[in-house]
Amino acid sequence: MQQLSKRILWVWRIRALCLAAAGFFLCGIAAVFSGAAAFFLGAVSALLFLLACVWYYPQRYRSSRWEITPQAAKLAVGVIFCYERTLPLSRVQYAELLRTPAQRLCGVCTLILHAAGAKLSIGGLSLSQGTELYRRINGRDTHEQS
């Protein structure tokens, strides 16, 4: 199984920074009412941001693996709760390639495979990998599947 692009760590850190900024904004609002509440919210926001960036995201990156074979797409992820998902390619109805602004900035994308009642998202692919897999899955001959 293959590992995600290392650039996905920057996407996750940008996302954490946006959440921390929202937490610090709430601290400013809380400061109007109580300085102690503002300090507490600020400390919690800073601690969660550091915990995510220093420990959780690197662990998530190391534990995430994906593979697309001629028969199925597989994804294994998890730090605290680990899971592995498999989606047979014969059930895939269509594929999407998603690029958020942070992903465009970092040069990564997310491949989303849709099937009846199921969806498999492989985030953190390099743009070249994602585009190649997208073309391969959408261009496959549906009559030759076994």
Side-chain angles (χ1 to χ4, degrees):
M1 295 185 88
Q2 297 183 40
Q3 198 167 28
L4 303 177
S5 170
K6 196 157 182 85
R7 292 177 290 197
I8 193 64
L9 286 167
W10 286 106
V11 174
W12 294 337
R13 289 174 179 148
I14 290 170
R15 199 177 297 163
L17 185 61
C18 292
L19 288 173
F24 291 130
F25 178 75
L26 290 175
C27 291
I29 293 173
V32 172
F33 301 106
S34 168
F39 177 77
F40 178 75
L41 283 175
V44 168
S45 294
L47 181 66
L48 289 176
F49 175 75
L50 289 174
L51 184 66
C53 289
V54 173
W55 179 76
Y56 181 76
Y57 291 145
Q59 290 296 324
R60 181 178 174 191
Y61 171 75
R62 283 191 281 278
S63 68
S64 299
R65 299 273 189 267
W66 65 274
E67 179 180 32
I68 296 183
T69 65
Q71 293 79 26
K74 300 174 186 177
L75 176 67
V77 294
V79 175
I80 298 169
F81 298 101
C82 302
Y83 69 90
E84 186 172 322
R85 296 183 70 185
T86 302
L87 182 65
L89 289 183
S90 61
R91 294 188 164 193
V92 173
Q93 294 172 333
Y94 66 97
E96 284 182 281
L97 205 55
L98 173 69
R99 294 186 70 206
T100 65
Q103 287 176 325
R104 282 195 301 270
L105 182 69
C106 297
V108 295
C109 62
T110 299
L111 179 69
I112 306 170
L113 304 177
H114 294 270
K119 178 170 73 168
L120 182 68
S121 297
I122 304 173
L125 299 173
S126 69
L127 185 57
S128 60
Q129 280 180 323
T131 304
E132 190 266 322
L133 291 170
Y134 173 79
R135 287 187 180 139
R136 193 170 89 193
I137 290 169
N138 278 338
R140 70 191 184 334
D141 187 2
T142 55
H143 300 294
E144 292 183 14
Q145 296 174 1
S146 47

